[in-house]
Amino acid sequence: MRNRFLFTLAVLAAGVVGLSGCAAKDANDPASVTQVNATASKYKGVEFPTPKDRPQFTLTDQAGATYDFGKETAGVPTVLYFGYTNCPDVCPLIMGSLGTALSEVNKKTAAQIQVVFVTTDPARDTPAALASWLAHFDGEAPKKFIGLTGTLAQVEAAQKAAGVAVAEDNGATHSALALFYSKDNKSYIAWEANATSDDIRHDMPLLADK
């Protein structure tokens, strides 16, 4: 956990001295425009009024193998996030929060959950780059994080299938929602970029077996 924390601090420091940060598209994101009133929800994340189906798309994982998201994660509690490895702020923060939550939530819940990161910058995020970057965040997670890349058209199709806004500016302006799919292959909530590890840890047990 210490290495992940130090890595996040280093990335944020780099952002302060000149790197431009991620620009979230959530204001125009179909997945977040309509949501349950926060005061009426038992979740810390954004609750959708209508659950969203687990998307179907095929990309390439960090080992260079074909990865059919719908098939590989069917029936598995799954977090799906779109971002890019050179992001100086939002992406490492949410990935760090996910890693911390998985290290602190009860072991039964943590053992079930798979985190899948899809790059919005496939021109630079090779399988090797994804593997190296994700290793900073999943060290204490029971399941290693999966990183996916592909052609720009494939990555954009994956975002459309998930119902999030398609990234712009070479991937830098992208949805900041981490979608959570339960065992029934439905997404009831998503965590926004400002979600803390405590928020995520609170919601995981409520949704993992749903």
Side-chain angles (χ1 to χ4, degrees):
M1 186 182 302
R2 176 176 170 78
N3 287 341
R4 180 169 64 244
F5 177 70
L6 291 176
F7 173 74
T8 302
L9 285 181
V11 173
L12 288 175
V16 170
V17 297
L19 291 177
S20 59
C22 286
K25 294 191 70 175
D26 295 334
N28 299 311
D29 196 324
S32 65
V33 170
T34 57
Q35 62 189 65
V36 171
N37 187 319
T39 60
S41 177
K42 63 181 177 180
Y43 304 113
K44 299 294 186 180
V46 174
E47 183 177 1
F48 304 128
T50 302
K52 299 180 179 299
D53 293 330
R54 187 184 299 264
Q56 303 291 322
F57 57 83
T58 300
L59 292 168
T60 301
D61 68 17
Q62 68 262 53
T66 298
Y67 192 91
D68 183 328
F69 179 83
K71 180 179 178 180
E72 295 289 344
T73 67
V76 177
T78 307
V79 180
L80 175 63
Y81 185 78
F82 294 89
Y84 65 112
T85 66
N86 285 294
C87 172
D89 40 39
V90 174
C91 299
L93 282 177
I94 191 67
M95 297 305 286
S97 292
L98 287 167
T100 298
L102 285 168
S103 72
E104 296 177 347
V105 75
N106 70 79
K107 292 182 179 180
K108 179 182 177 181
T109 296
Q112 301 179 63
I113 297 173
Q114 179 66 69
V115 175
V116 177
F117 177 88
V118 179
T119 182
T120 55
D121 183 15
R124 289 190 292 178
D125 283 343
T126 62
L130 288 169
S132 176
W133 189 74
L134 290 173
H136 292 289
F137 308 107
D138 65 3
E140 297 176 59
K143 291 180 181 288
K144 295 301 181 184
F145 293 2
I146 300 295
L148 300 178
T149 188
T151 65
L152 181 59
Q154 289 174 326
V155 168
E156 289 183 345
Q159 292 168 83
K160 291 176 182 177
V164 301
V166 175
E168 301 173 351
D169 305 321
N170 295 318
T173 303
H174 61 83
S175 171
L177 295 176
L179 300 158
F180 188 95
Y181 298 93
S182 299
K183 286 183 177 179
D184 63 359
N185 299 314
K186 301 285 187 179
S187 177
Y188 297 87
I189 72 155
W191 295 296
E192 296 181 290
N194 61 352
T196 66
S197 60
D198 287 341
D199 294 334
I200 296 170
R201 185 181 65 211
H202 171 274
D203 290 345
M204 281 179 167
L206 301 178
L207 292 160
D209 292 317
K210 195 173 180 67

